[in-house]
């Protein structure tokens, strides 16, 4: 029989993350939604806590790192896993996003770029960059989800790489200590020449052009970065510097196999928050969904709640599967995209339907429902849109290449 219960160590870590979400994030959620671009000073406490947990070998709270890390050896109990970094990161991302996904994305030293480092860095690079706060810079003005269309360039000049280009929609782009930048080392070789580089915040030639005003996740800074003859050390290119035309940029894309389940978990966390709030509102209205009566024999609101709850469970289990596969060194590109597609769509569906069913209460700022509705949309967009995920799933299932199925 399949046992879907979480191991004891993961439950403890998830419970800890939930306490952070409940005691730190929820009380200040509305405050920083209304004060876009203000730095959440309360997260300085989080930074010290995360640093202390990392030093003691305890699982990380924020959970955006994923993949390999110095703390993975402490999770070897997980169902025979060789490590548990991805599963722990996923659960922590879920719980903290239940509190506030914008604040979760703002936790120091837990950036999305850390997942890129964990996915493709060498052992030596893991030691050097293991404790940095890294955001990830992929998107450019000329493209969104088509990651192969990178135009930012990296040219080797002696012992330094020189980067030139513009990156947009960089989460934590102003606050992070390092940026993982996707750039091409040879435009004539196409996607095979796309590599990722770790750029320190103080690197000459790196600047923040502006911060974006957004629909949701306003607690998180989203920056436009300019790289103008930006110089970094030669060994700051992640993984192998060799261009393998046959392999393409699969190594760089492996980053998404780590981050997509995490973004799925964020959507699941926000969806669960909305479901819990909606259940309380329905109960006050005298409507309580029953698991013993057919849905079509219950009030329409109760039937709709049961449908959404089933979707939530499906998204949750798909996310767990993708993370478990990553921890057990199983190729999970298909499952990562499936979890991201399902959770992204489910998150927006549940949060917006909760606003609708709650009526004027849901649309007002008396609860956080309308905020969760705004926050959830980005989780169906970044790390690959809904349409991109469906395209990847179709290619994997049908055995088609990107050239054969567009």
């Amino acid at each position: 029989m399949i046992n879907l219960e979480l191991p004891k160590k993961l439950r403890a870590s998830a419970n800890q993350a939930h306490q952070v979400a409940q005691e730190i994030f929820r009380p200040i959620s509305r405050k920083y939604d209304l004060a876009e671009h203000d730095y959440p000073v309360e997260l300085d406490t989080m930074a010290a806590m995360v640093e202390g947990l990392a030093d003691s070998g305890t699982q990380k709270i924020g959970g955006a790192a994923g993949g390999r890390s110095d703390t993975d050896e402490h999770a070897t109990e997980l169902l025979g896993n060789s490590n548990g970094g991805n599963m722990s990161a996923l659960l922590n991302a879920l719980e903290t996003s239940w509190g506030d996904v914008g604040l979760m994305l703002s936790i120091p030293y837990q950036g999305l770029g850390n997942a890129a480092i964990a996915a493709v860095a060498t052992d030596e690079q893991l030691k050097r960059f293991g404790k940095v706060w890294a955001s990830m810079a992929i998107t450019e003005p000329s493209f969104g989800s088509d990651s192969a269309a990178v135009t930012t360039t990296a040219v080797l000049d002696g012992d330094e790489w020189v980067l030139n280009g513009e990156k947009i929609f960089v989460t934590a782009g102003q606050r992070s200590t390092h940026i993982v930048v996707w750039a091409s080392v040879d435009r004539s070789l196409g996607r095979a020449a796309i590599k990722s580089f770790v750029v320190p915040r103080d690197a000459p030639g790196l600047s923040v052009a502006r911060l974006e005003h957004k629909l949701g996740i306003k607690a998180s800074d989203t920056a436009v970065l300019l790289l103008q003859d930006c110089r970094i050390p030669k060994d700051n290119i992640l993984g192998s510097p060799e261009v393998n035309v046959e392999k393409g940029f699969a190594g760089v894309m492996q980053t998404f196999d780590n981050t997509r389940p995490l973004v799925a978990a964020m959507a699941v966390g926000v969806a669960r928050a909305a479901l819990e709030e909606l259940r309380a509102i329905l109960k006050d209205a005298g409507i309580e969904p029953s698991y013993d009566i057919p849905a079509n024999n219950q009030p329409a609101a109760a039937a709709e709640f049961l449908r959404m709850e089933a979707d939530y469970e499906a998204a949750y289990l798909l996310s767990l599967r993708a993370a478990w596969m990553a921890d057990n060194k199983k190729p999970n590109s298909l499952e990562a995209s499936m979890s991201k597609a399902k959770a992204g769509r489910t998150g927006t569906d549940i949060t917006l339907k909760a606003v609708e069913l709650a009526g004027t209460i849901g649309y007002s700022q008396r609860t956080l429902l309308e905020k969760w509705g705004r926050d959830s949309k980005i989780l169906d967009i970044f790390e690959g849109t809904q349409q991109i995920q469906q395209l990847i799933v179709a290619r994997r299932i049908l055995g088609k290449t990107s050239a054969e199925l567009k």
Side-chain angles (χ1 to χ4, degrees):
M1 180 181 294
I2 298 176
N3 183 1
L4 297 177
E5 290 188 6
L6 297 175
K8 183 178 180 180
K9 178 164 288 189
L10 283 187
R11 289 202 302 272
S13 176
N15 287 339
Q16 195 173 41
H18 186 78
Q19 290 302 310
V20 168
Q22 182 171 290
E23 303 300 328
I24 299 178
F25 286 8
R26 280 287 180 93
I28 63 174
S29 183
R30 181 64 72 184
K31 171 184 175 182
Y32 288 104
D33 181 56
L34 297 174
E36 188 172 14
H37 300 156
D38 283 4
Y39 176 69
V41 293
E42 293 85 350
L43 294 187
D44 289 339
T45 303
M46 281 291 310
M49 187 181 302
V50 169
E51 184 69 17
L53 290 171
D55 290 341
S56 66
T58 308
Q59 294 297 318
K60 296 179 179 180
I61 286 182
R68 299 174 293 166
S69 73
D70 293 335
T71 62
D72 284 348
E73 60 185 273
H74 300 281
T76 54
E77 304 170 5
L78 311 182
L79 304 176
N81 289 7
S82 57
N83 63 63
N86 284 281
M87 185 72 80
S88 178
L90 182 142
L91 292 169
N92 293 339
L94 189 157
E95 293 296 343
T96 46
S97 295
W98 173 90
D100 187 288
V101 70
L103 291 170
M104 180 270 167
L105 290 167
S106 301
I107 299 176
Y109 307 104
Q110 299 291 290
L112 290 171
N114 292 91
I117 294 172
V120 298
T122 64
D123 290 340
E124 183 275 331
Q125 289 171 334
L126 285 173
K127 291 179 181 179
R128 278 199 295 137
F129 301 126
K131 293 187 177 181
V132 305
W133 179 6
S135 54
M136 190 153 62
I138 301 175
T139 306
E140 299 178 2
S142 60
F143 77 89
S145 293
D146 183 10
S147 302
V150 168
T151 61
T152 297
T153 58
V155 178
L156 191 59
D157 181 19
D159 291 331
E160 294 181 317
W161 287 101
V162 181
L163 280 68
N164 281 282
E166 179 181 356
K167 295 294 183 179
I168 62 176
F169 299 125
V170 181
T171 301
Q174 183 182 50
R175 300 171 186 164
S176 59
T177 64
H178 292 69
I179 318 290
V180 174
V181 176
W182 286 28
S184 174
V185 297
D186 189 340
R187 293 288 304 280
S188 67
L189 295 179
R191 58 170 49 192
I194 296 173
K195 301 288 183 179
S196 48
F197 300 81
V198 180
V199 181
R201 163 65 54 206
D202 58 358
L206 172 65
S207 62
V208 177
R210 68 174 184 274
L211 296 179
E212 298 288 359
H213 293 279
K214 309 182 299 294
L215 175 71
I217 59 166
K218 295 190 174 186
S220 171
D221 64 306
T222 303
V224 173
L225 301 180
L226 295 180
L227 298 135
Q228 299 168 306
D229 292 331
C230 177
R231 291 181 172 271
I232 60 173
K234 179 180 179 180
D235 55 0
N236 276 28
I237 182 172
L238 288 177
S240 171
E242 300 299 323
V243 176
N244 188 329
V245 177
E246 293 183 0
K247 185 178 179 181
F249 71 144
V252 177
M253 288 297 289
Q254 185 184 347
T255 297
F256 288 131
D257 296 343
N258 279 2
T259 58
R260 280 170 176 159
L262 294 181
V263 176
M266 296 177 204
V268 170
V270 178
R272 192 183 79 193
L275 282 174
E276 291 175 358
E277 185 72 30
L278 178 60
R279 183 187 283 274
I281 291 172
L282 292 178
K283 184 176 181 179
D284 288 343
I287 299 173
E288 292 195 52
S290 171
Y291 301 99
D292 299 319
I293 303 172
N296 57 1
N297 289 340
Q298 298 187 53
E304 191 71 356
F305 182 91
L306 292 173
R307 178 193 67 79
M308 293 190 293
E309 194 173 54
D311 272 347
Y312 158 81
E313 290 287 349
Y316 171 69
L317 293 175
L318 280 170
S319 302
L320 287 186
R321 182 187 182 192
W324 180 88
M325 292 179 71
D327 278 334
N328 284 275
K329 312 302 181 187
K330 297 178 182 291
N332 73 331
S333 179
L334 170 63
E335 289 75 15
S337 285
M338 288 172 65
S339 68
K340 171 66 167 62
K342 176 64 177 178
R345 184 171 63 243
T346 297
T348 56
D349 173 46
I350 288 178
T351 54
L352 292 178
K353 182 59 70 171
V355 169
E356 178 185 326
L357 293 176
T360 54
I361 295 176
Y363 197 71
S364 71
Q365 292 187 358
R366 291 166 58 185
T367 70
L368 291 171
L369 280 176
E370 59 82 27
K371 178 186 181 300
W372 294 332
R374 289 185 284 110
D375 287 347
S376 66
K377 189 56 193 174
I378 189 59
L379 303 176
D380 195 30
I381 296 175
F382 69 11
E383 301 298 295
T385 64
Q386 180 69 211
Q387 293 75 20
I388 288 293
Q389 304 308 328
Q390 292 180 9
L391 189 57
I392 293 172
V393 170
R395 287 171 181 165
R396 296 292 184 273
I397 291 176
L398 299 175
K400 302 287 187 180
T401 66
S402 57
E404 293 172 321
L405 185 58
K406 298 181 179 181

